[in-house]
Amino acid sequence: MFSFFNKTPKINNQTHIELAEMFWADTTTPIYNIKFLDPSKLDFSIESLKHVDDYLETAYKNELSDEEYITVIMRVGSYVGEVIRKNLNTYNWLEYKEAKKAHKMIKEYGLQLSTLAVLWEEPDNLLFPFAKVDKYLTNGSEDNTYSFVTAIIAQNNNQLKAI
């Protein structure tokens, strides 16, 4: 029918695949404390998130400029989201404008750093990797990415067993 009636959100995985790789590989505009990162430990496995959390701890303990803060959230958040996507194969990235089409809760949260991009699983399951990284930078290791992702994977595995 008419495309302007289409409520299906446009997926944007490629942008976040690239941002995730920029986390450790972009030396032109490097992330805060890039020297800390060991690329051999960043293989998109769940275990790699332990290295990510060690990295985030260095950022948490130091004062970042606004630009550094935003870059850390976007690149590390994209990496965390890509770990989820590669391990579950059911989620896709949506930018804020598209995410509002998928779930009314996004509109209620409004446009902010934590909602710039979210992971979406049809029909209405949302995950917020940017928000998790933001929480780590605010609260420290109690909001680590490893626990976040292992809980999501475990919950997903339990749901699959129930089917």
Side-chain angles (χ1 to χ4, degrees), residues 131-148:
K132 178 47 71 178
V133 174
D134 189 22
K135 285 182 178 184
Y136 195 117
L137 293 176
T138 302
N139 302 325
S141 61
E142 70 186 53
D143 277 308
N144 70 77
T145 65
Y146 178 78
S147 295
F148 173 68

Side-chain angles (χ1 to χ4, degrees), residues 20-125:
E21 291 172 357
M22 288 175 71
F23 172 33
W24 73 88
D26 185 358
T27 56
T28 306
T29 53
I31 196 166
Y32 164 81
N33 199 13
I34 194 169
K35 298 175 297 208
F36 179 87
L37 297 170
D38 180 351
S40 70
K41 293 181 180 180
L42 297 169
D43 59 1
F44 295 96
S45 67
I46 297 167
E47 285 299 307
S48 73
L49 294 173
K50 291 178 180 177
H51 185 53
V52 170
D53 287 334
D54 290 342
Y55 167 78
L56 287 173
E57 190 65 20
T58 71
Y60 168 70
K61 290 181 177 177
N62 291 283
E63 190 165 328
L64 304 180
S65 70
D66 289 346
E67 184 178 338
E68 288 171 326
Y69 194 87
I70 291 166
T71 302
V72 168
I73 288 177
M74 292 183 70
R75 292 184 189 178
V76 177
S78 291
Y79 182 86
V80 171
E82 283 302 298
V83 170
I84 294 167
R85 280 186 5 94
K86 289 177 187 303
N87 281 277
L88 292 180
N89 297 314
T90 58
Y91 284 88
N92 290 293
W93 284 102
L94 299 178
E95 304 305 316
Y96 174 76
K97 182 178 176 184
E98 297 299 315
K100 289 191 312 183
K101 294 178 185 177
H103 204 291
K104 68 179 182 175
M105 178 176 60
I106 296 294
K107 188 174 182 178
E108 292 170 10
Y109 285 159
L111 178 59
Q112 53 187 296
L113 191 53
S114 297
T115 61
L116 282 176
V118 300
L119 284 177
W120 173 61
E121 180 184 50
E122 289 190 67
D124 62 358
N125 195 19

